Amino acid sequence: MNKQAMYESLNGLLADSIVLYQKLHHFHWRVQGEGFFLLHGKFEELYDHFAETTDAIAERILMIGGEPLGTLAQALEHASISEVAMVPPARDMIILVKEDLETFQGRVGQVLELADQEGDRGTANLLDPVNDELDKTLWMLRAFLAA
Ligand SMILES: [Fe+2]
């Protein structure tokens, strides 16, 4: 197994997961308008999910002998998802989350491909359900935005 490639790939995913976790909190706190109760709760559900995903990815890196990144500065350096300092309108928050989850799913796909190539079954087993859950969440967000 090309362990270095697996560490780097998983650390990239970890970085995105950490940034998303914080970004979803930001939206959870600052969302306003008629959809407040719905979106406030949905963002919470999603950041709870990313808390678990973050932990699982970091621990997988350790299991295969690597070092998970451990600071917010490192997460920002390696993330493909960017933060937003402003407070977008509620609908724009949903659009941003949808786009970020698409980006995240793209990166999950890359790690899965590498895991298959390297015969890393544990990582593939970890990320398959993450990918399935993203399919479901993205379907819901697209359905919401179609209204
Ligand atoms: Fe809260």
Side-chain angles (χ1 to χ4, degrees):
M1 192 198 299
N2 181 348
K3 289 204 162 183
Q4 202 54 42
M6 286 309 303
Y7 303 154
E8 282 171 23
S9 189
L10 280 164
N11 261 317
L13 199 59
L14 177 61
D16 276 347
S17 188
I18 290 168
V19 171
L20 262 169
Y21 173 77
Q22 181 57 33
K23 193 168 177 176
L24 288 159
H25 267 91
H26 175 51
F27 289 173
H28 167 77
W29 294 324
R30 302 300 302 274
V31 68
Q32 286 191 325
E34 283 180 20
F36 174 83
F37 289 109
L38 175 77
L39 294 177
H40 181 70
K42 179 50 81 175
F43 292 141
E44 178 171 354
E45 186 188 312
L46 287 171
Y47 71 61
D48 279 345
H49 178 74
F50 275 95
E52 284 174 27
T53 303
T54 297
D55 189 47
I57 295 168
E59 289 176 357
R60 181 65 198 161
I61 294 169
L62 288 161
M63 281 175 220
I64 60 173
E67 293 181 352
L69 55 84
T71 69
L72 296 176
Q74 286 172 318
L76 284 171
E77 189 190 330
H78 294 279
S80 56
I81 288 167
S82 50
E83 300 184 293
V84 286
M86 53 155 197
V87 178
R91 189 177 173 84
D92 290 355
M93 286 180 177
I94 298 285
I95 292 169
L96 286 168
V97 169
K98 181 188 80 79
E99 289 172 354
D100 287 345
L101 293 185
E102 285 166 348
T103 301
F104 188 77
Q105 192 173 37
R107 212 159 186 180
V108 168
Q110 287 170 5
V111 183
L112 273 171
E113 215 168 282
L114 184 66
D116 282 345
Q117 194 182 303
E118 298 298 329
D120 183 349
R121 297 276 308 141
T123 295
N125 287 340
L126 170 71
L127 294 181
D128 272 333
V130 170
N131 190 54
D132 293 346
E133 189 67 28
L134 284 163
D135 279 342
K136 190 171 178 182
T137 305
L138 281 165
W139 155 60
M140 289 185 186
L141 294 177
R142 289 182 191 120
F144 183 92
L145 288 167

